[in-house]
């Protein structure tokens, strides 16, 4: 098997790589969440039964959360627009609702996609304070975050509501960035894989393989969001590989190979290169560092 896999190894945008054998062994023996997976310095799309190479374009997305005022948002958007010129990754910014239209105007003609941070499940009606998908779409958004840990923990959103929102995004022809991730005690208790598996199963219920072409998964260990802590590249890759294997098991190898899986959780200029060298990490969902033009520039233009 080792010789067969090595014969199949091809050069990709991140180099020559090999991982099917390692993942097969993990499936066969069972593995503990959070245990480091030792990897070659390369990128891969693999399952326990086959090696399938994929050329996924990374997505670097900034989540501005509830920050900035209008003048600051417009200036930052202009900085991101300039930084994206010549970037090898796709780029998006998910901005507060009041800034969507002015930021869209700044980004016009660039490669930077515009995203909203949330949505509601109805098109219109007596839902004070809510923002509908038609509203979001009408100002030029192409992406919408769903399931972010802050929506789950602060606003009490459960998997059923997150699923409904994700379906609403997809029904409108937009792209959903579905956020998943475990708490610190779940990581320490070895249940990371069970947690993200349940979030995927419930969050993607009723969503077809065809619709998944417009879904991005953002794995964000909750204990690393805004804390300055970052999962080690080995921890992040380990969980990303498990997430990709979930798509093999629940959809197909082709779906798994095409799925963009971002890492989020205090991504910084200091950590981005190592994270992006991991074979199953296809970009980043960036919080605090996306508010600083020079830092986000370095992350967008990772090595």
């Amino acid at each position: 098997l080792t010789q067969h896999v090595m014969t199949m190894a091809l050069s990709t945008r991140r180099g020559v790589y090999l991982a099917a054998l390692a993942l097969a062994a993990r499936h066969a023996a069972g593995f503990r969440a959070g245990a480091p997976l030792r990897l070659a310095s390369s990128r891969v799309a693999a399952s326990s039964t086959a090696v399938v190479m994929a050329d996924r374009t990374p997505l670097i997305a900034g989540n501005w959360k509830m920050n900035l005022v209008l003048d600051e948002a417009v200036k930052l958007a202009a900085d991101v627009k300039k930084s994206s010129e010549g970037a090898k990754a796709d780029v998006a910014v998910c901005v507060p609702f009041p800034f969507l239209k002015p930021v869209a105007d700044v980004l016009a003609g660039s490669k930077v996609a515009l995203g909203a941070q949330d949505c509601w499940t109805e098109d219109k009606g007596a839902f004070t304070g809510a923002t509908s998908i038609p509203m979001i779409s009408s100002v030029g958004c192409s992406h919408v975050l769903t399931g972010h840990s802050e929506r789950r923990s602060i606003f009490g959103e459960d998997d059923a509501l997150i699923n409904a929102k994700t379906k609403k995004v997809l029904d409108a022809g937009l792209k959903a960035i579905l956020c998943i991730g475990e708490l610190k005690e779940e990581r320490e208790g070895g249940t990371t894989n069970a947690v993200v598996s349940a979030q995927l199963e419930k969050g993607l219920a009723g969503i077809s393989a065809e619709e998944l072409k417009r879904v991005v998964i953002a794995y964000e260990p909750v204990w690393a969001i805004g804390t300055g802590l970052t999962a080690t590249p080995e921890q992040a890759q380990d969980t990303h590989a498990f997430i990709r294997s979930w798509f093999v098991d629940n959809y197909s190898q082709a779906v798994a190979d095409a799925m963009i899986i971002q890492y989020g959780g205090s991504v910084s200029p200091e950590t981005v290169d190592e994270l992006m060298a991991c074979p199953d990490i296809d970009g980043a969902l960036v919080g605090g560092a996306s508010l600083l033009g020079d830092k986000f520039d370095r992350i967008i233009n990772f090595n």
Side-chain angles (χ1 to χ4, degrees):
L1 177 59
T2 301
Q3 183 61 43
H4 175 64
V5 171
M6 292 188 69
T7 301
M8 294 178 65
L10 302 174
S11 177
T12 69
R13 62 185 170 86
R14 295 278 175 89
V16 178
Y17 55 77
L18 171 69
L21 187 59
L23 191 56
R26 293 172 70 81
H27 274 285
F31 58 91
R32 180 177 55 84
L37 174 62
R38 303 303 177 189
L39 301 166
S41 57
S42 53
R43 286 185 67 83
V44 3
S47 76
S48 59
T49 57
V51 175
V52 181
M53 304 305 176
D55 190 16
R56 297 180 293 272
T57 301
L59 172 63
I60 305 294
N63 177 14
W64 293 1
K65 304 189 179 184
M66 195 181 73
N67 291 292
L68 309 177
V69 295
L70 180 57
D71 290 348
E72 295 169 331
V74 168
K75 182 183 183 303
L76 181 56
D79 291 342
V80 175
K81 180 178 180 178
K82 183 176 180 180
S83 294
S84 69
E85 296 173 0
K88 58 189 174 183
D90 290 335
V91 182
V93 287
C94 298
V95 312
F97 290 129
F99 307 150
L100 287 174
K101 185 60 171 70
V103 167
D105 292 341
V106 173
L107 297 178
S110 76
K111 70 176 290 181
V112 183
L114 182 66
Q117 297 177 13
D118 188 35
C119 66
W120 188 237
T121 57
E122 301 293 335
D123 287 345
K124 61 182 179 179
F127 303 102
T128 300
T131 304
S132 72
I133 286 294
M135 292 175 180
I136 290 168
S137 181
S138 73
V139 296
C141 283
S142 58
H143 293 66
V144 182
L145 294 178
T146 62
H148 193 279
S149 65
E150 289 153 8
R151 299 300 309 181
R152 295 175 188 264
S153 62
I154 298 171
F155 298 96
E157 295 191 3
D158 60 16
D159 288 309
L161 179 55
I162 291 163
N163 176 247
K165 289 184 175 185
T166 303
K167 286 180 174 179
K168 194 68 179 180
V169 173
L170 298 177
D171 287 346
L174 304 183
K175 297 179 180 179
I177 301 177
L178 173 61
C179 304
I180 61 174
E182 82 284 2
L183 302 173
K184 184 178 181 181
E185 54 267 31
E186 292 167 337
R187 163 65 64 172
E188 293 174 344
T191 61
T192 295
N193 292 344
V195 170
V196 298
S197 179
Q199 290 172 335
L200 287 168
E201 180 179 356
K202 296 174 183 178
L204 295 175
I207 292 174
S208 70
E210 182 65 24
E211 289 173 315
L212 284 179
K213 293 177 181 178
R214 288 181 286 110
V215 172
V216 172
I217 300 299
Y219 166 62
E220 296 190 298
V222 178
W223 48 271
I225 299 174
T227 63
L229 300 173
T230 304
T232 66
E234 291 82 7
Q235 287 175 321
Q237 164 58 28
D238 190 39
T239 304
H240 278 238
F242 172 78
I243 292 168
R244 201 172 303 285
S245 74
W246 185 92
F247 283 100
V248 174
D249 295 340
N250 290 274
Y251 286 91
S252 70
Q253 181 71 55
V255 166
D257 291 338
M259 181 57 61
I260 300 297
I261 308 174
Q262 297 176 304
Y263 173 78
S266 299
V267 177
S268 70
E270 293 73 31
T271 60
V272 66
D273 292 340
E274 275 195 297
L275 289 165
M276 289 303 300
C278 295
D280 288 295
I281 296 180
D282 306 314
L285 182 58
V286 186
S290 72
L291 299 172
L292 302 171
D294 57 341
K295 288 191 174 184
F296 198 50
D297 176 276
R298 176 64 181 82
I299 293 170
I300 289 171
N301 295 287
F302 61 88
N303 293 322

